[in-house]
Amino acid sequence: MIKSKHNEMMKEMEASLLKTIEEAKSGKDFKSIKNITHNKSFSEYTISVNQEAYKNSFDGFAALGLGITGMYFEPLMTKVTRFLGSLF
């Protein structure tokens, strides 16, 4: 994969992740979630919830989804970028 294509793919993935985070914070699907913050590589998230609403819900699946997506994004962001950088 050429570096420009990798950069384009990473920008699209980042936009998709940010959209997913905003949708989770909207309260439509996950009523208890109040806020979600993350680090630059999407490998760490902090999710603030309404504790009472969270106890009686399946909103923990939001964290599972973010975690899986972050585990896919972060290695592509670091390892592939390092590899591509060594080629140029």
Side-chain angles (χ1 to χ4, degrees), residues 9 12 15 18 26 33 38 41 52 59 69 71 78 85-86:
M9 180 184 74
E12 289 173 4
L18 292 171
S26 74
I33 295 177
H38 57 85
S41 66
E52 285 303 313
D59 289 1
T69 307
M71 287 188 315
T78 55
S86 70

Side-chain angles (χ1 to χ4, degrees), residues 39-50:
N39 63 357
K40 185 176 179 178
S41 66
F42 297 95
S43 63
E44 294 180 22
Y45 296 89
T46 302
I47 303 173
S48 303
V49 299
N50 174 306

Side-chain angles (χ1 to χ4, degrees), residues 22-45:
E22 289 306 312
E23 287 173 354
K25 290 177 5 180
S26 74
K28 288 185 351 186
D29 294 323
F30 303 107
K31 304 285 186 215
S32 69
I33 295 177
K34 299 298 177 195
N35 194 28
I36 300 173
T37 59
H38 57 85
N39 63 357
K40 185 176 179 178
S41 66
F42 297 95
S43 63
E44 294 180 22
Y45 296 89

Side-chain angles (χ1 to χ4, degrees), residues 49-63:
V49 299
N50 174 306
Q51 191 171 3
E52 285 303 313
Y54 182 81
K55 285 181 186 178
N56 299 316
S57 72
F58 290 99
D59 289 1
F61 285 110

